[in-house]
Amino acid sequence: MTPSSEPIKAEGWVRTRRDSKNVSFIEISDGSCLKGLQAVLDRSRFSDKDLEDVTTGSSVVVEGCLVSSQGSSQSVELQAESLTVIGTCPQDYPLQKKKHTVEFLREKAYLRPRTNLFGAVTRVRNTMAYAVHSFFQENGFVYVNTPLISASDCEGAGAQFQVTTLDLENIPKGEDGKVDYSKDFFGKLANLTVSGQLEGETYALAMKDIYTFGPTFRAENSNTARHLAEFWMIEPEMAFCTLEGDMDIAERFLKYIFSAVLDKNAEDMEFFSRFVLAGVRETLEHVIESPFEHMTYTDAVKILERHNDRFEFPVRWGVEIQSEHERFLTEEIARRPVIVTDYPKDIKAFYMKMNDDGKTVRAMDVLAPRLGEIIGGSEREYRLDVLKERMKELGLDESAYWWYLDLRRYGSVPHSGFGLGFERAVQYVTGVANIRDVIPYPRYVKSCEY
Ligand code: ATP
Ligand code: MN
């Protein structure tokens, strides 16, 4: 901001107030940036009575001119000509000027956006959401809204939340003693979606390149710093595209949204680097500049096996790569994001394209230092016979996926896609340790406040 002779109006909430004999300083925040605006009130013009209600948390409107500041911590300040307190704020306001823990703030989730930390997270999240759309729009992708209530179980990606209007005190049962879903709202069992992928595929096979960006629900019973029960997922799906194209888009996409934050939120990134995670900004710069590492699951396992003494869950070919292994690969071996490909078919979903070895599938996970998996994706099996065979092997009911199979009968084509957990990406960019602190109102096991 630069000084101006025209009066301006500042509307916001009082962060702090400091009084000296001749002047009072009020820091006003309106969420637009990290630093508040300092208003200076000449005590010859404003009485004690005028200032009586100017307490931390109160909302005010201050009018005056911006002048160069004599203080060292801001370039301009507001020389107040008028002051109106709109809403008073009593002493029990929870956000008094002192450092609060994130645990404390989680319990005050309706007020935490007024803190430096959550203000910064909110602005960065906003930049990233906008960048998600910009990236795909600039690259010719079409934004598609897939349903949130779904009757198809996407691969059993996670436990699902059931959607029902049945009276739980009096559930209708059939003669076999099972719940009679024909009496339910949709006439069948329905759930909240765990992924929009299957529906996304149908649109990719018409529009070529599409993406979704919407809420996703998983009844994850795990109490981790990386899992929510309700999170936002971005799922692009590309037709005429193999795994190589998929990985290329994933890398360019991540770098694009990271760069957007460095461009637009320099002050917030400085804050995260100083108060949340040392060096988080430099890490991001490094990630943007260097190509991601690529390795197959088989090679990753070879590396990890040599260090099995360090892991809680020892690794051998065929087992899931867990978060401790993902971190080891990215933090100790590659020192940057790693894309692991060609996982054993038995630990991946039915729709992933089978490799010629008959043992592995064209899957890819993007692993990031500190977090582990942030993207999961694959080339999809587009050959009807191979897909049917795979479903039979897994005991999946073909009739439940009839339309998904039809897609392989009517003009099938190689296609690929991935899912990025939006909150994981925000966590990565900001350095915030717990996923519960990068979404306004986190939902997780035994917690659905506000
Ligand atoms: P994880 O093994 O970490 O639980 P996943 O293999 O279940 O992940 P996918 O089904 O591939 O994940 O989902 C795609 C992406 O969605 C993941 O890479 C991750 O970024 C994100 N994601 C998955 N589950 C959650 C969750 N419960 N909360 C937040 N993000 C999630
Ligand atoms: Mn999971």
Side-chain angles (χ1 to χ4, degrees):
M1 276 193 288
T2 47
S4 87
S5 51
E6 291 290 307
I8 64 149
K9 184 158 89 173
E11 301 164 318
W13 292 265
V14 173
R15 277 293 182 81
T16 55
R17 168 177 160 187
R18 244 171 349 105
D19 299 306
S20 68
K21 195 152 156 279
N22 302 321
V23 282
S24 286
F25 300 98
I26 312 174
E27 191 194 344
I28 305 167
S29 164
D30 70 354
S32 57
C33 56
L34 187 71
K35 262 183 116 25
L37 176 64
Q38 169 158 289
V40 184
L41 295 99
D42 188 334
R43 295 308 302 265
S44 63
R45 298 182 57 174
F46 297 91
S47 67
D48 283 353
K49 185 100 186 80
D50 293 334
L51 288 174
E52 186 177 55
D53 287 333
V54 180
T55 55
T56 297
S58 59
S59 51
V60 296
V61 178
V62 180
E63 287 184 273
C65 284
L66 280 182
V67 297
S68 296
S69 174
Q70 279 142 38
S72 57
S73 56
Q74 63 272 323
S75 60
V76 292
E77 59 193 19
L78 184 62
Q79 197 70 54
E81 276 149 32
S82 76
L83 160 79
T84 317
V85 176
I86 309 286
T88 58
C89 187
Q91 281 297 311
D92 64 1
Y93 182 56
L95 304 180
Q96 296 300 330
K97 192 180 164 66
K98 65 169 186 172
K99 206 166 160 21
H100 299 290
T101 65
V102 284
E103 289 77 17
F104 171 82
L105 292 174
R106 230 171 267 153
E107 281 164 19
K108 304 278 181 277
Y110 69 111
L111 291 174
R112 65 181 186 171
R114 295 191 193 181
T115 62
N116 281 337
L117 175 64
F118 289 89
V121 166
T122 304
R123 283 184 296 273
V124 165
R125 196 178 155 112
N126 171 61
T127 297
M128 292 174 71
Y130 190 75
V132 165
H133 286 292
S134 310
F135 175 83
F136 288 119
Q137 295 296 329
E138 284 167 17
N139 284 283
F141 285 64
V142 177
Y143 178 41
V144 172
N145 300 118
T146 49
L148 299 189
I149 299 176
S150 158
S152 71
D153 171 11
C154 181
E155 56 167 317
Q160 298 189 287
F161 289 102
Q162 196 173 327
V163 178
T164 182
T165 52
L166 291 178
D167 176 3
L168 296 184
E169 305 294 344
N170 185 17
I171 297 173
K173 299 254 173 85
E175 274 163 20
D176 55 2
K178 293 201 174 131
V179 180
D180 181 3
Y181 283 110
S182 69
K183 303 259 170 23
D184 204 347
F185 188 90
F186 297 108
K188 56 161 84 164
L189 175 71
N191 293 296
L192 291 179
T193 186
V194 291
S195 160
Q197 180 201 317
L198 303 190
E199 294 89 349
E201 283 184 49
T202 65
Y203 270 72
L205 266 69
M207 317 297 290
K208 203 152 173 253
D209 294 339
I210 64 99
Y211 69 105
T212 69
F213 183 6
T216 309
F217 309 88
R218 295 190 185 178
E220 306 262 15
N221 213 342
S222 51
N223 232 316
T224 78
R226 314 178 302 135
H227 289 94
L228 289 167
E230 176 182 292
F231 63 100
W232 286 66
M233 185 139 73
I234 297 134
E235 295 182 278
E237 190 72 33
M238 292 84 74
F240 301 92
C241 177
T242 60
L243 195 71
E244 281 65 35
D246 200 28
M247 291 190 288
D248 178 56
I249 290 281
E251 180 167 346
R252 287 202 286 130
F253 169 57
L254 284 176
K255 289 179 175 179
Y256 183 98
I257 55 178
F258 294 169
S259 305
V261 175
L262 291 178
D263 279 355
K264 295 187 184 153
N265 300 81
E267 193 185 33
D268 294 321
M269 286 309 297
E270 181 63 33
F271 172 82
F272 294 125
S273 266
R274 280 185 64 190
F275 297 108
V276 176
L277 184 72
V280 67
R281 198 194 52 215
E282 290 75 8
T283 312
L284 221 50
E285 285 164 355
H286 171 70
V287 164
I288 291 166
E289 282 157 16
S290 37
F292 290 4
E293 182 86 36
H294 289 248
M295 62 178 83
T296 63
Y297 168 90
T298 302
D299 286 342
V301 165
K302 278 185 197 146
I303 294 171
L304 292 167
E305 272 179 327
R306 281 190 241 125
H307 303 276
N308 262 340
D309 52 322
R310 298 180 47 156
F311 302 132
E312 188 186 343
F313 302 97
V315 177
R316 63 190 154 70
W317 201 92
V319 305
E320 298 253 14
I321 299 186
Q322 314 237 9
S323 149
E324 55 171 342
H325 314 125
E326 295 173 344
R327 295 193 55 173
F328 186 81
L329 286 174
T330 51
E331 291 166 23
E332 315 260 339
I333 303 294
R335 295 180 181 280
R336 53 182 144 146
V338 176
I339 308 187
V340 178
T341 61
D342 303 290
Y343 284 75
K345 64 174 190 204
D346 295 333
I347 57 171
K348 287 290 181 188
F350 76 94
Y351 53 70
M352 297 188 178
K353 186 176 178 235
M354 186 68 69
N355 278 318
D356 292 342
D357 63 10
K359 286 191 299 198
T360 59
V361 289
R362 296 248 75 192
M364 64 108 174
D365 279 4
V366 180
L367 315 179
R370 294 202 311 273
L371 273 182
E373 178 187 335
I374 63 170
I375 281 182
S378 71
E379 185 170 339
R380 322 304 188 189
E381 185 55 77
Y382 74 101
R383 300 163 295 186
L384 182 63
D385 51 334
V386 185
L387 184 59
K388 277 183 156 178
E389 193 50 43
R390 185 75 189 118
M391 289 176 68
K392 201 186 284 167
E393 242 175 73
L394 291 168
L396 291 173
D397 178 10
E398 271 186 28
S399 66
Y401 295 91
W402 64 274
W403 52 271
Y404 191 70
L405 287 166
D406 262 5
L407 209 58
R408 274 74 184 160
R409 294 176 53 222
Y410 302 140
S412 193
V413 64
H415 59 288
S416 304
F418 62 80
L420 167 71
F422 187 52
E423 285 73 20
R424 295 235 179 127
V426 179
Q427 258 189 296
Y428 187 66
V429 166
T430 57
V432 168
N434 198 313
I435 197 165
R436 296 167 190 180
D437 301 323
V438 295
I439 188 166
Y441 295 99
R443 271 82 179 92
Y444 48 94
V445 203
K446 299 283 182 289
S447 179
C448 190
E449 300 303 317
Y450 302 100

